[in-house]
Amino acid sequence: MKYSFLGIDEQRIVGIKNPKFILKGTVLLEDYHFILKIDGKEEEFKLESNGTRFFIEKILSRKDKRIQVFVRSKKEEYLICDTKNMILRRIKAKGKEKWINFINYKVIRIIRYIFYTLYKGIRLAWREHHFLIPPSLWPKYIEAIKVKLKGGEDALYYNPFNAKEYNQWIRENNQEEPIEEFSYNPLISIAIPVYNIEREFLKDCLDSILNQRYPNFEVCLADDASTKKETIDTLKEYEKKDKRIRVVYRKENGHISKATNSAIEIAKGEFVALMDDDDVIPENALYEVVKVLNQDKTLDMIYTDEDKMEMDGTLCDPHFKPDFSPDTLLGGNYICHFSFFRRTILEKIGGFRSEFVGAQDFDLVLRFTEETKKIYHLPKVLYHWRKVPGSTAVTIDSKGYAIENGRKAVEEALKRRKEKGSVTAPINAAHYVVEYEVENNPKVSIIIPTKDNAKILNQCLKSIYEKATYKNFEIIVVDNKSEKKETKDLLENYKKKHKNFKVMKANYEFNYSKINNEAVKKASGDYILLLNNDTEVITPNFIEIMLGYASRKHIGAVGAKLLYPDGTIQHGGIILGIGGIAAHAYPEVEASNYGTFGRLLIPYNYSGVTAACLMIDKKKYEEVNGLEEELKVAYNDVDFNMKLLEKGYYNIFLPQVTLMHFESKTRGLDTTTEKFKRLQEETEYMKNKWKEKLTRDRFYNPNYSLGRDFRLDKKKK
């Protein structure tokens, strides 16, 4: 048996009267399963696993003495846990647990939080100002410290992935709106495949539809040769109950794709909405969708936000989605539920394909979105996906074939679109990374503004020349009034050593936009890579990966994941509106974090990416007149990205491309009143130019807070 890692995170027996064995850990094996033995006899036990993480739980009797857990692969068996069930140990563990909890949550937690807040403040003061904080910024930082000491984020925001906090947010924001009379009342066909579903779940599903405020709908159910009597009886009961419910009974089981197609075949509506037979929708779901259609009848597809529902009815795990993002979609089916499709297009593309079982919805959406650009995202939670054990609502890993079929769906989409590229699934989940082939070996001009600090510049240049696997590039270093001999010697050395190295003089006051614009005019490359001198390449094939995306017709700016030296994230995409103008996503989050719904794992469309590492087709750079020279230091990259969006391009963040960013090592820090005044002026420029567009980021759901990324605002008291 081969394995790359096997580790136990937690092993204990809890409970004095009713002992329970718990084992948690990580295991990466091939063809394995667990065996639990009590006093030498194999016993059944509760197991939860996603392929790498596992959780084992077993209720014991007080007579049980020895508990062993083995991992078995083929004929080999490995002991990973061997412990004894002793009453004294359990009593000791119980007492220790209570004491530790008291210390942790009542004493240490408070002390730790105070010191952590002070540490973060000191770190920020050094990194941003070298402790020379201008008096004009003191009130801002003092207020921030007060907020932190009062509870920080807990005092201002809800965590959407904490079920209790999410449900509290729902209660605070659940305001019933008055019903409008519509002039346009299209028939909506809700297509539902059914197979051996429990009456309770099917009943909840159908009742949620019948309770809709919008009445012009039909329910098209296709029973896929169910063998459960309660399923058939429930279908017949509801057929009689409401004329809008129609059922087709299939003679042979064809699985979900064929069953859904059977439901679509009996549909008569202009639009077909897709549901699973165990999920529910709120009573305003159809009304909200038709309300959108009354604003724009030409729409061909509408999708909504969704969440999940525990077996006890508790809502959790909301998916607040971005507006239509074609590159994000190639990374996984973020659209999912609750989706409405124009029936004529659905029929044109042939409905679902059974060869993509498990990823049939994903395949359908990829093909449908190739037929129309009339796609609308309705940012309201209008679908509750029930977490039935074994379903993909619990974990996609419970259906491993779905992951591979999803990857094949993306591969086929690339072939249909005549795009050459590879598709990989980096983790055991339905997340995919597309990397495009670079054709015709185009030249890339890497532009690096600098001023002195030869050591940091050399680190940047050395990482490119030593690590870059793509060779058709030139480097243009723009020297902004360097004075030190070591800098001049370094530049001369690189000029002698590399034919593709150039130095351009910029003997004027620092203006990041002007420096880059002038360098682009002299660049001989087909593509431009703006790069800070305080960066260091980590990903060797970063040029070809970024180039693959920059060469797509619909893509504007291409950005990378930038890390601080401590391994936390400095740039994970740019979100408009946060902090007043814009801010980086996931600041100081650990680099290993996958991000919200894979935002730090797969290529994601964002409104912007930082110019500290930004690649773009030179023609597109010139099309938007480059960087705005009135913005000398701040927000010039935000403005640049927004100009690209206005032209209809999509900007993209590539988390698989990583660089270290030491940030602002040579330009200096905004510590003087003059620099702070300039920052204020550039802030006002952005507000006056872009106005409300700064508060509505299409790639960042409006339900999220503009105070802290991917959080929910608490209702102000």
Side-chain angles (χ1 to χ4, degrees):
M1 176 180 68
K2 295 180 179 179
Y3 61 88
S4 57
F5 181 78
L6 173 63
I8 303 300
D9 298 332
E10 182 180 345
Q11 170 191 316
R12 60 193 175 113
I13 298 175
V14 298
I16 298 174
K17 291 184 178 181
N18 301 300
K20 180 167 62 176
F21 171 70
I22 294 172
L23 184 69
K24 299 179 182 178
T26 306
V27 60
L28 296 175
L29 307 168
E30 296 178 357
D31 301 323
Y32 72 93
H33 65 278
F34 292 101
I35 297 167
L36 184 142
K37 293 182 181 180
I38 297 178
D39 297 329
K41 183 182 177 182
E42 285 192 23
E43 299 281 352
E44 293 183 355
F45 57 95
K46 178 183 176 182
L47 171 66
E48 293 180 7
S49 174
N50 66 3
T52 56
R53 305 284 306 161
F54 69 85
F55 172 79
I56 290 173
E57 183 180 283
K58 174 65 178 177
I59 304 297
L60 306 175
S61 75
R62 280 179 278 182
K63 295 180 181 180
D64 296 332
K65 295 181 179 179
R66 187 179 184 186
I67 297 90
Q68 296 172 299
V69 178
F70 299 82
V71 174
R72 179 179 292 170
S73 177
K74 298 181 180 178
K75 296 181 180 179
E76 297 179 280
E77 194 170 279
Y78 290 77
L79 178 67
I80 63 170
C81 173
D82 191 347
T83 188
K84 292 182 179 180
N85 177 24
M86 299 171 64
I87 182 65
L88 289 177
R89 282 187 185 177
R90 300 203 304 272
I91 293 172
K92 183 179 178 181
K94 188 73 173 179
K96 184 179 179 181
E97 181 183 19
K98 286 191 173 182
W99 175 247
I100 288 174
N101 284 344
F102 173 77
I103 295 297
N104 273 338
Y105 293 101
K106 301 297 182 182
V107 182
I108 293 178
R109 191 178 181 189
I110 296 171
I111 295 171
R112 186 192 301 160
Y113 189 77
I114 291 172
F115 276 100
Y116 180 73
T117 301
L118 292 173
Y119 160 73
K120 296 284 281 188
I122 293 168
R123 182 180 171 187
L124 175 69
W126 171 255
R127 194 181 70 224
E128 297 297 331
H129 307 286
H130 278 214
F131 296 137
L132 300 174
I133 303 174
S136 54
L137 286 179
W138 290 359
K140 173 186 174 182
Y141 286 132
I142 290 170
E143 184 61 30
I145 290 172
K146 286 181 180 178
V147 170
K148 281 284 185 184
L149 292 176
K150 287 179 181 178
E153 291 185 7
D154 293 341
L156 300 174
Y157 313 111
Y158 289 125
N159 177 1
F161 295 103
N162 179 304
K164 184 178 179 181
E165 294 184 23
Y166 172 55
N167 280 272
Q168 179 60 31
W169 179 82
I170 292 173
R171 287 190 288 273
E172 290 179 359
N173 292 273
N174 190 17
Q175 297 178 347
E176 193 168 310
E177 297 178 6
I179 298 296
E180 295 180 26
E181 291 290 331
F182 298 136
S183 58
Y184 173 49
N185 294 278
L187 176 65
I188 305 294
S189 300
I190 303 176
I192 307 175
V194 177
Y195 181 70
N196 281 349
I197 185 70
E198 287 83 350
R199 170 181 168 77
E200 175 191 357
F201 298 153
L202 181 57
K203 182 178 182 299
D204 286 350
C205 172
L206 296 175
D207 285 345
S208 74
I209 299 171
L210 294 179
N211 289 333
Q212 289 299 298
R213 293 178 182 176
Y214 180 77
N216 193 23
F217 64 83
E218 62 176 2
V219 186
C220 303
L221 297 135
D223 178 71
D224 199 22
S226 293
T227 56
K228 271 191 179 182
K229 185 175 183 298
E230 65 175 301
T231 302
I232 302 299
D233 289 347
T234 305
L235 288 172
K236 290 184 176 179
E237 173 191 337
Y238 274 82
E239 269 188 296
K240 295 176 182 177
K241 187 174 184 178
D242 196 302
K243 292 180 180 179
R244 293 173 296 181
I245 295 178
R246 296 188 292 131
V247 185
V248 57
Y249 296 91
R250 291 175 51 83
K251 294 180 180 179
E252 294 181 5
N253 181 271
H255 300 293
I256 191 168
S257 294
K258 290 183 179 179
T260 309
N261 285 340
S262 294
I264 294 171
E265 285 171 7
I266 63 172
K268 298 177 182 177
E270 279 187 62
F271 290 88
V272 174
L274 303 174
M275 275 189 72
D276 291 341
D277 57 6
D278 52 1
D279 299 335
V280 299
I281 54 177
E283 62 182 11
N284 64 325
L286 298 184
Y287 169 81
E288 294 290 348
V289 172
V290 176
K291 185 178 179 181
V292 168
L293 286 170
N294 272 266
Q295 295 166 4
D296 186 354
K297 297 179 184 178
T298 68
L299 293 173
D300 293 320
M301 177 180 165
I302 299 172
Y303 65 96
T304 74
D305 294 341
E306 62 186 290
D307 59 20
K308 292 177 183 175
M309 180 189 292
E310 299 284 4
M311 295 297 285
D312 63 1
T314 302
L315 300 178
C316 61
D317 300 341
H319 190 174
F320 294 117
K321 306 168 188 176
D323 287 357
F324 184 63
S325 311
D327 303 289
T328 303
L329 183 60
L330 288 172
N333 186 14
Y334 80 88
I335 287 176
C336 209
H337 308 104
F338 189 30
S339 301
F340 293 71
F341 304 89
R342 189 171 291 278
R343 183 165 59 87
T344 52
I345 297 177
L346 205 56
E347 291 171 346
K348 176 185 175 182
I349 65 174
F352 290 91
R353 300 194 293 182
S354 57
E355 60 265 40
F356 292 93
V357 62
Q360 65 284 333
D361 291 29
F362 189 22
D363 171 63
L364 179 85
V365 169
L366 287 170
R367 288 183 289 121
F368 194 97
T369 54
E370 292 168 5
E371 297 292 328
T372 180
K373 300 304 174 189
K374 291 284 187 176
I375 302 166
Y376 184 86
H377 166 226
L378 176 54
K380 293 187 177 184
V381 176
L382 300 178
Y383 194 90
H384 306 310
W385 192 4
R386 194 187 298 272
K387 294 175 71 173
V388 177
S391 74
T392 49
V394 177
T395 170
I396 187 69
D397 304 323
S398 64
K399 297 183 178 180
Y401 59 86
I403 298 170
E404 177 57 19
N405 283 342
R407 192 190 66 78
K408 290 178 180 177
V410 178
E411 273 189 345
E412 194 163 303
L414 294 181
K415 289 178 183 177
R416 285 194 304 272
R417 302 170 190 184
K418 295 180 172 57
E419 302 273 15
K420 295 180 181 179
S422 63
V423 184
T424 57
I427 62 171
N428 192 28
H431 293 299
Y432 309 101
V433 172
V434 175
E435 290 182 2
Y436 296 98
E437 287 184 19
V438 176
E439 300 183 76
N440 303 320
N441 195 37
K443 187 175 184 179
V444 177
S445 295
I446 304 174
I447 298 172
I448 306 174
T450 195
K451 179 180 180 181
D452 286 320
N453 207 324
K455 183 179 178 181
I456 199 75
L457 175 61
N458 183 51
Q459 184 174 258
C460 174
L461 296 173
K462 187 178 178 183
S463 72
I464 298 171
Y465 279 113
E466 290 186 357
K467 293 182 181 179
T469 53
Y470 189 83
K471 300 303 180 183
N472 191 17
F473 66 86
E474 66 173 355
I475 293 180
I476 303 175
V477 171
V478 188
D479 184 10
N480 185 219
K481 300 197 296 185
S482 291
E483 298 172 351
K484 295 182 179 180
K485 182 178 183 298
E486 60 182 10
T487 306
K488 296 175 182 178
D489 290 345
L490 177 73
L491 295 176
E492 284 301 317
N493 182 48
Y494 270 95
K495 281 167 69 176
K496 292 175 182 178
K497 192 174 179 181
H498 301 283
K499 293 181 180 179
N500 61 346
F501 183 86
K502 302 175 184 177
V503 177
M504 190 182 109
K505 296 292 183 180
N507 294 320
Y508 43 79
E509 178 190 359
F510 180 82
N511 182 324
Y512 183 83
S513 299
K514 183 177 180 180
I515 286 170
N516 282 286
N517 287 344
E518 292 192 356
V520 168
K521 291 174 185 176
K522 296 183 179 181
S524 60
D526 304 298
Y527 292 84
I528 302 298
L529 175 59
L530 305 182
L531 190 66
N532 277 21
N533 65 342
D534 54 358
T535 58
E536 180 182 354
V537 174
I538 295 175
T539 306
N541 58 339
F542 76 108
I543 295 178
E544 46 262 63
I545 294 175
M546 297 181 79
L547 189 53
Y549 275 88
S551 59
R552 303 303 105 192
K553 290 182 180 179
H554 70 285
I555 288 179
V558 180
K561 181 164 66 178
L562 304 183
L563 305 179
Y564 287 119
D566 64 1
T568 59
I569 291 171
Q570 186 265 339
H571 170 258
I574 289 176
I575 299 172
L576 301 179
I578 293 184
I581 303 295
H584 290 184
Y586 301 104
E588 300 193 40
V589 169
E590 290 296 325
S592 58
N593 195 303
Y594 291 160
T596 312
F597 294 97
R599 283 177 176 263
L600 294 173
L601 180 69
I602 63 173
Y604 239 93
N605 291 120
Y606 273 87
S607 283
V609 293
T610 179
C613 179
L614 183 156
M615 186 180 285
I616 187 170
D617 185 322
K618 186 178 180 181
K619 292 178 181 177
K620 294 172 185 174
Y621 188 99
E622 294 169 339
E623 183 183 353
V624 296
N625 298 316
L627 297 169
E628 175 53 62
E629 295 185 13
E630 284 194 42
L631 298 169
K632 297 179 181 180
V633 178
Y635 306 125
N636 39 55
D637 51 0
V638 177
D639 178 77
F640 180 71
N641 280 278
M642 293 182 75
K643 289 192 291 183
L644 289 166
L645 293 178
E646 280 209 323
K647 289 288 184 179
Y649 296 114
Y650 288 87
N651 301 318
I652 190 163
F653 163 70
L654 304 181
Q656 72 269 41
V657 175
T658 307
L659 289 85
M660 196 69 71
H661 190 196
F662 301 92
E663 200 174 22
S664 302
K665 290 287 184 182
T666 59
R667 182 182 62 81
L669 300 154
D670 293 338
T671 57
T672 65
T673 303
E674 181 185 343
K675 288 182 178 179
F676 182 69
K677 182 181 178 182
R678 186 205 61 231
L679 176 62
Q680 292 293 89
E681 290 173 352
E682 293 181 346
T683 299
E684 287 304 310
Y685 176 92
M686 289 294 290
K687 288 181 178 179
N688 292 333
K689 179 176 180 179
W690 295 107
K691 299 182 174 65
E692 70 280 354
K693 290 181 181 179
L694 288 172
T695 61
R696 177 62 178 100
D697 188 325
R698 0 192 286 244
F699 305 102
Y700 180 73
N701 193 289
N703 289 298
Y704 284 132
S705 172
L706 289 179
R708 176 67 174 90
D709 59 342
F710 305 107
R711 291 294 186 269
L712 303 172
D713 286 319
K714 284 188 176 181
K715 194 171 185 178
K716 293 182 180 179
K717 296 180 181 180

